[in-house]
Amino acid sequence: MLFAGLVLLAAGSGCSAETDADNAGRTSRLTGKHILMCEGGRQVSVAFVGDGLTIDLATSPNGKTERLTAPAAGVTYFGDYVNLAISDGAILIMRAGAPPQICRWDSRKRVGQPPP
């Protein structure tokens, strides 16, 4: 009886949804603070907080920090007046009343793990 239960447990685990360990491996790449260079020479920093679904976005050197959150991994981060999307080694910053801004990872100024 015990053996049959273990076999069923092992078989079921092969078809299970993502585990916390899978998600931790994915979000651990996002930890740290990253400096990005935007069009026009402006710099922003993105600090990934906790599980990677929260970020702090700041305009360097003296800009205000804005907290953004995402409902799930791989989707747009939302803030009060700004949204941020990560794609193909760059981020797209969309502010209310302003044109979208593209910023690229500046690997010379990265602190922490590599970007996604």
Side-chain angles (χ1 to χ4, degrees):
M1 187 74 109
L2 179 62
F3 178 72
L6 290 174
V7 169
L8 287 174
L9 180 62
S13 68
C15 298
S16 65
E18 291 181 336
T19 64
D20 289 339
D22 294 335
N23 290 332
R26 183 175 307 125
T27 57
S28 67
R29 294 186 65 213
L30 300 176
T31 59
K33 182 177 179 181
H34 306 275
I35 306 298
L36 295 98
M37 186 63 70
C38 303
E39 298 168 332
R42 187 170 154 200
Q43 287 185 346
V44 297
S45 69
V46 176
F48 291 90
V49 180
D51 60 2
L53 298 179
T54 303
I55 60 172
D56 287 333
L57 172 67
T59 304
S60 297
N62 297 322
K64 171 179 114 175
T65 299
E66 299 170 275
R67 174 125 324 161
L68 292 85
T69 58
V75 298
T76 300
Y77 291 86
F78 299 96
D80 289 335
Y81 301 101
V82 62
N83 296 338
L84 183 144
I86 300 173
S87 178
D88 297 328
I91 63 170
L92 177 64
I93 300 173
M94 299 159 282
R95 293 189 183 277
Q101 185 173 30
I102 297 172
C103 305
R104 304 215 179 271
W105 302 103
D106 187 351
S107 60
R108 297 168 296 156
K109 297 184 179 183
R110 186 177 62 228
V111 179
Q113 299 292 323

